[in-house]
Amino acid sequence: MAAMLLFSSLGFVACNKESDDQKAGDDDSQSALVCVEQIIDGCMDITNEVGNAKIGDPYDLYRSGQTEKALYAVESWYSWHSIDDYSNNILSIRNAYYGTRNGKVAANSLATLIAGNNATLDQQVRTAIDVAYDAIQAIPAPFRNNIGAPEVSEAMQVCNDLEEVLSNLKGYLQRNPSVSTDALLQPILTTYVNDVVLPTYSDLLRANTALYQAAQAFQKNPSDNAFKAVCEAWFEAREPWETSEAFLFGPVDALGLDPNMDSWPLDQEAIVNILNSGKFDNLTWNDGDSDDDVEAVQSVRGFHTMEFLIFKDGQARSINGGSSTDFASLDYTSDNAASWGNYMVQVGYLLQKDAQQLYDSWTKSYEGGKAYKDIFLSHEISNDEDEE
C-alpha cells in the first residue's frame, strides 16, 4: 500500500558507505551486508505497515468512534480481499528470509545461514513469521465488517513482535562479522534476486498484462461474466504485488511505481468526476510535477481504482447494477457504460506499463544504466538511512 503520499523523487544514488562492522579496506566498495540490511529493512517496513497502518489505522479510528472513517480506511474493502492482501505481505517476508516462494528453505538463504550459526534466532524468525500470518488469517472476514474484533488487536501485536525479531536479526548480522562476510552473503543475495525478486516481478508483469486484456475484453463486450473475468484477473495480479512488498526499494520506490500501482486511499470523488466527464488526460504525471500533483494522479489509477470499478460489496459488479450516483456507491449504468469501460482499459494499460517498467529496470536497464539486479548484486545501492 502506498498510502497517501508515497511518491519518492529520489532516484538511484550510489553511495560508498560501509557497515560499521565490515570495512572493505582502502577501497570504496560496499559489502554484501549493506544489501542484506536493505532486505531486512524492507521486511521490517512491511510488517510495520501491516500492523500499524493497514490494520492499525482502521482499528484506531474504530476504537475512537469514527466508524465510517474506519471503514473507508480499510485497504481493499471494495473486494473484501483485505485479509489475504495482508497475509501475502507476511509471505513476502517469508520469501525474503527463505530465499524461495514456495515455503521451502533454499540452501543459500538467510534462514539457512542463521540456522547454522544461531539456531535459536532462526527459530524465532520462522515462528514470528508463521504467527503473524496465522493471526491475520484468524481475523473474521471481511475485515471491514470486523474491525473491532479481538483478533484484530492480536494481529497488530504479533506484527510488532515480528518487526522486533527482524530487528534482532539485523543486529545479529551487524555484530558478527564472521557470519556476514561477502563469501557467505553473496550467494544469498544471488538466490534472493534470481529466485524471489525476479520471478515475482515476472509474475506481476504477466498478471497485469492479463488484467489489461480482461479489461479490454469487457470494454468490447460488457457483461456480468466479463465483469467476473476482470475480477478474477485482478485477484491473480494482486498476489505477486502483495508478495513483493518486502522489497519496495530500488526502481519501485525511486520511479514512483509503488504509488502508481497501489496508492490508498483513493480519491473516490475524483474517480467519479473522471467517469462522468469521460476525460482520462490526468492519469499520468511527469518529472518536475509537484508532489501534490503526482499524488492526485496516483489516487485515481492503479489496483484500487480498478478494484473500485469492478467490485461492489465484495462481489463482481453487474451491468445491471442499479442507479446510485453517490460517489461511495456508484453503479454501472447505461449512461456511464462507455466511460466506465474506457476507464477500466486506461487503468489496466497503466498497470501493465508500470509492471513492464519495473521488470525491465531490474533485468535490462535502470535509468539508462545497467540492470538494477546487477547494481544490487554489486552492492552499488543507496542507503536511505545513511542519507537521512
Side-chain angles (χ1 to χ4, degrees), residues 8-50:
S8 168
S9 60
L10 294 175
F12 165 76
V13 178
C15 69
N16 294 319
K17 296 184 180 180
E18 298 169 3
S19 163
D20 290 339
D21 295 306
Q22 274 204 320
K23 299 298 182 182
D26 292 332
D27 82 48
D28 290 330
S29 63
Q30 297 183 122
S31 68
L33 179 59
V34 172
C35 294
V36 170
E37 288 172 335
Q38 187 155 64
I39 294 171
I40 298 172
D41 286 343
C43 293
M44 292 170 62
D45 288 344
I46 191 57
T47 192
N48 178 281
E49 184 176 327
V50 170

Side-chain angles (χ1 to χ4, degrees), residues 279-338:
K279 296 179 180 179
F280 307 101
D281 299 335
N282 295 323
L283 298 182
T284 59
W285 52 270
N286 299 301
D287 290 341
D289 288 351
S290 71
D291 285 355
D292 286 345
D293 287 343
V294 172
E295 289 166 20
V297 168
Q298 291 169 333
S299 68
V300 294
R301 60 185 282 180
F303 280 119
H304 294 301
T305 296
M306 182 69 82
E307 182 190 8
F308 174 88
L309 294 170
I310 63 177
F311 288 98
K312 186 172 182 180
D313 296 331
Q315 302 294 323
R317 286 185 180 271
S318 170
I319 60 171
N320 301 305
S323 58
S324 173
T325 57
D326 176 71
F327 75 81
S329 59
L330 186 70
D331 285 318
Y332 178 96
T333 69
S334 58
D335 290 336
N336 62 29

Side-chain angles (χ1 to χ4, degrees), residues 7 22 48 59 71 91 129 133 145 154 165 220 225 227 238 240 251 263 279 281 304 331 349-350:
F7 170 67
Q22 274 204 320
N48 178 281
Y59 179 79
L71 293 175
L91 292 185
I129 291 170
Y133 180 89
N145 292 351
E154 174 64 21
V165 171
K220 292 176 182 177
N225 284 337
F227 255 138
R238 283 301 282 174
S263 277
K279 296 179 180 179
D281 299 335
H304 294 301
D331 285 318
Y349 166 75
L350 291 169

Side-chain angles (χ1 to χ4, degrees), residues 236-255:
E236 290 293 321
R238 283 301 282 174
E239 183 172 351
W241 173 256
E242 293 300 322
T243 57
S244 79
E245 290 209 51
F247 37 94
L248 292 180
F249 55 77
V252 72
D253 174 46
L255 301 178

Side-chain angles (χ1 to χ4, degrees), residues 4-267:
M4 297 242 355
L5 52 62
L6 297 176
F7 170 67
S8 168
S9 60
L10 294 175
F12 165 76
V13 178
C15 69
N16 294 319
K17 296 184 180 180
E18 298 169 3
S19 163
D20 290 339
D21 295 306
Q22 274 204 320
K23 299 298 182 182
D26 292 332
D27 82 48
D28 290 330
S29 63
Q30 297 183 122
S31 68
L33 179 59
V34 172
C35 294
V36 170
E37 288 172 335
Q38 187 155 64
I39 294 171
I40 298 172
D41 286 343
C43 293
M44 292 170 62
D45 288 344
I46 191 57
T47 192
N48 178 281
E49 184 176 327
V50 170
N52 293 320
K54 294 187 178 187
I55 299 175
D57 285 350
Y59 179 79
D60 290 343
L61 287 166
Y62 184 88
R63 294 278 292 178
S64 70
Q66 301 178 74
T67 305
E68 185 174 4
K69 285 186 176 181
L71 293 175
Y72 289 152
V74 174
E75 186 181 13
S76 299
W77 68 265
Y78 308 112
S79 60
W80 291 5
H81 198 248
S82 310
I83 291 172
D84 286 339
D85 271 7
Y86 310 160
S87 300
N88 281 331
N89 288 161
I90 302 302
L91 292 185
S92 74
I93 299 170
R94 183 205 68 184
N95 295 351
Y97 187 63
Y98 285 10
T100 68
R101 300 194 301 154
N102 60 11
K104 297 181 179 180
V105 177
N108 293 318
S109 66
L110 284 171
T112 297
L113 175 68
I114 301 302
N117 291 275
N118 188 333
T120 299
L121 177 58
D122 171 63
Q123 191 57 55
Q124 288 173 346
V125 176
R126 297 188 195 211
T127 299
I129 291 170
D130 291 344
V131 168
Y133 180 89
D134 291 343
I136 293 169
Q137 282 288 308
I139 297 172
F143 176 45
R144 73 182 306 271
N145 292 351
N146 296 280
I147 300 172
E151 291 88 350
V152 174
S153 59
E154 174 64 21
M156 292 167 58
Q157 181 57 56
V158 298
C159 284
N160 289 335
D161 293 342
L162 173 56
E163 184 181 9
E164 182 176 354
V165 171
L166 292 168
S167 179
N168 293 340
L169 169 64
K170 180 179 175 181
Y172 173 77
L173 290 169
Q174 291 172 330
R175 293 190 304 271
N176 292 275
S178 64
V179 181
S180 52
T181 64
D182 280 5
L184 291 172
L185 296 184
Q186 193 64 31
I188 292 172
L189 295 180
T190 300
T191 294
Y192 170 77
V193 168
N194 291 336
D195 295 351
V196 177
V197 176
L198 298 186
T200 300
Y201 284 155
S202 176
D203 282 353
L204 179 67
L205 174 56
R206 174 191 53 76
N208 276 10
T209 300
L211 178 58
Y212 174 39
Q213 292 169 344
Q216 290 177 304
F218 176 90
Q219 181 192 40
K220 292 176 182 177
N221 187 20
S223 68
D224 286 354
N225 284 337
F227 255 138
K228 290 177 183 178
V230 185
C231 290
E232 288 302 316
W234 186 89
F235 283 132
E236 290 293 321
R238 283 301 282 174
E239 183 172 351
W241 173 256
E242 293 300 322
T243 57
S244 79
E245 290 209 51
F247 37 94
L248 292 180
F249 55 77
V252 72
D253 174 46
L255 301 178
L257 299 176
D258 171 18
N260 273 2
M261 288 189 276
D262 201 38
S263 277
W264 182 265
L266 301 177
D267 187 339

